[in-house]
Amino acid sequence: MTEHIANKVTETSTGLNFHFDNKFVRELPADPQTDNSRRQVMGACYSFVEPKKVKAPKLVAYSREMAAQLDLTDADCLSEQFTRVFAGNELLQGMQPHAQCYGGHQFGHWAGQLGDGRAINLGEVINKQGERFCLQLKGAGETPYSRTADGLAVLRSSIREFLCSEAMYHLGIPTTRALSMVLTGEDVVRDMFYDGRPKAEPGAVVCRVAPSFLRLGSYEIFTSRGELDTLKQLVDYTIETDFPHLGEPGKETYLSWFREICERTADMVVHWMRVGFVHGVFNTDNTSILGLTIDYGPYGWIDNYDPNWTPNTTDATGRRYRFGAQPQIAQWNLLQLANAIYPLIEDADALRDILNDYVGVYTDKWQQMRADKLGLSEFKAEDEELNQELNKIMQLAETDMTIFYRRLADISTENIDSADEALLSPLMDAYYSPEGLSKQDKKAIADWVSRYLQRVIADGVDDLTRKHKMDRVNPKYVLRNYLAQMAIDKAEQDDFSLVNELLDVMRHPYDEQPEFEQYASKRPDWARNRPGCSMLSCSS
């Protein structure tokens, strides 16, 4: 079991020494008001604001991979100064803390100004490789964009965000990262279920890291207000900073920029579909301009395969953000960005063509991904029927998507003529109630497996090569909701061992890791309907 990091904190570091280059605040317009009052912020990309100091910060966990990218050593991360800084209690020289202004469409409706209501950007760091990273504290207190909220975060949501950010990174999925998670030593009151029964919970702060936290809503807000000079300033800044290969700003560059955003977004969503991740609140304010998974709120992982499942209680009726709808929602979100940047381009046909091309781009990536998951060298037109049938048989009974694909890799083409029971034997662990499979269900699944093996034989790939290929794209370990909840339960009793152990496990999601076999198990019965293990609210 991993030793508690909180017990290892020392002052052995020579001091945190970042190279800050805060281009965002240097080149873009600031909110002229400096008081931290809730308000509509006009004509500005951000407001200066400092993190709230907390009573008793204690380091719970940190990502050594993210730390290394920031040129931090283990000694740096275990120092008292690290804990103070990433709790919000100490500002380093060069930091210029601020909260971003943005708007967004939420659940399909324009919501107006939103902004960083509980996130404070400390500044932008340039590492030794010349890479730019923005350091952001989530849960660090009120900002002008907090509306009626307190700007704080609780331990349970912080654990979920910290672990999932790093789990997604190791799965090979574009994502914002997490450097650290720190307990504040203060309680935060939350109404978890919006049922009028708020309670005090432990507070925490996560340091999130990304090249940029700009999202589609960052551009929408200025168009909605007719602040087109600010819109152009922000778009030109984004291209120069994050898309410099596109060249000087101008109509053609703007169109190339939009096309690349569409392609990056398609990449991201294909990865979500590959591993069974559901964002849960895929609003335009939660859609990164860089094609990164951003804002881990009521997300979830598909346990039993169900394209209509959403992890978000707020979305339970409409299911707008259900698993199977994510590709279409991405295109809808990109349409809102096209509307936002139209005043800079004034060519609806060109923007429409790029949006239409998104369908082809996504489909090509999606088809190749499905071929990879099945261990095939390429996707052929006749494979569409094979995949459609697979989609059907995985819904005949509760089928664990992650386990199904890992077990499918174990079925040998030598067994193609075996009886149905023998053919299905390697797959039985993927079913939540294998005894509930009807004879008809078993025949349908076995028939599909036979057709699949015929396709594999025709592909000319031997079983071992196919298994190696499948195991590189079909993870054995994902951060199932019940695992995160188990870590939360322990952490709320001041035991952070499972947080750090899961962090270790999720570093190698495609490896067998026999010592951690228990974390590859199906969702247990006790977690089927338990809050935090099935659906979650937007509350944190």
Side-chain angles (χ1 to χ4, degrees), residues 185-239:
E186 300 175 359
D187 285 341
V188 176
V189 176
R190 283 291 182 271
D191 186 350
M192 180 177 177
F193 301 108
Y194 302 122
D195 60 1
R197 293 187 294 174
K199 70 172 187 175
E201 303 182 48
V205 176
V206 171
C207 178
R208 307 198 294 187
V209 185
S212 170
F213 285 96
L214 287 167
R215 61 273 322 275
L216 308 193
S218 302
Y219 307 85
E220 288 184 277
I221 187 67
F222 299 119
T223 307
S224 73
R225 292 170 166 174
E227 297 174 354
L228 301 186
D229 288 345
T230 309
L231 170 70
K232 184 178 187 305
Q233 201 172 348
L234 180 60
V235 170
D236 291 355
Y237 163 87
T238 307
I239 291 171

Side-chain angles (χ1 to χ4, degrees), residues 234-262:
L234 180 60
V235 170
D236 291 355
Y237 163 87
T238 307
I239 291 171
E240 179 189 319
T241 306
D242 298 305
F243 299 80
H245 55 281
L246 296 179
E248 292 297 313
K251 176 183 174 180
E252 292 308 316
T253 301
Y254 296 148
L255 288 170
S256 298
W257 176 63
F258 181 58
R259 184 179 296 279
E260 184 165 335
I261 294 166
C262 290

Side-chain angles (χ1 to χ4, degrees), residues 17-38:
N17 184 25
F18 292 110
H19 171 210
F20 284 99
D21 176 47
N22 301 320
K23 186 178 180 183
F24 186 85
V25 300
R26 187 172 68 246
E27 297 191 0
L28 293 170
D31 176 4
Q33 285 186 240
T34 55
D35 63 300
N36 194 0
S37 61
R38 279 36 163 225

Side-chain angles (χ1 to χ4, degrees), residues 344-359:
L344 304 183
I345 298 168
E346 296 186 327
D347 189 339
D349 289 340
L351 289 166
R352 191 179 298 113
D353 287 345
I354 294 172
L355 276 171
N356 290 337
D357 288 346
Y358 165 87
V359 177

